[in-house]
Amino acid sequence: IAKTLGLPEVSQYWEAVVAMNEYQKNRFSHRILDTMFGTLRNKKIVVMGFAFKNNTDDTRESPAIDVTRFLLKEKARVPVYAPVVPHTSIQHLFSDVVCE
């Protein structure tokens, strides 16, 4: 939107925010892997919270989605505790996840 309005600096700012958010999700996921000695295979890692925002069931663009995807790709067992998010919403994204 900012580009179309002729605001290149604003556009660059928001592009940088998005890039930083992606970097942080990737960094967090790889720190888990490094902490667990380079392998997550068959290790149980619980995701505490799945919504984008506290006390909602809104999972759109939730960082937990990308982190969970990474954990499953690394063959971890991933139970999810998300008291407000319907289990069906989580299992729609990840059939391998157990909701608790």
Side-chain angles (χ1 to χ4, degrees), residues 57-92:
D57 64 355
D58 185 1
T59 61
R60 294 172 295 161
E61 299 185 34
S62 171
I65 294 171
D66 293 322
V67 173
T68 301
R69 186 175 291 122
F70 175 84
L71 296 173
L72 291 171
K73 186 183 93 181
E74 294 294 324
K75 306 296 184 201
R77 294 180 298 132
V78 185
V80 174
Y81 175 76
V84 180
V85 177
H87 295 170
T88 54
S89 295
I90 298 167
Q91 290 173 330
H92 176 72

Side-chain angles (χ1 to χ4, degrees), residues 3-32:
K3 280 183 185 177
T4 61
L5 294 174
L7 302 168
E9 295 85 358
V10 175
S11 174
Q12 290 171 354
Y13 169 80
W14 286 111
E15 288 171 0
V17 168
V18 170
M20 182 58 73
N21 287 343
E22 290 300 316
Y23 170 79
Q24 290 290 33
K25 289 185 284 190
N26 189 44
R27 179 177 165 271
F28 180 75
S29 297
H30 282 89
R31 283 193 67 190
I32 295 169

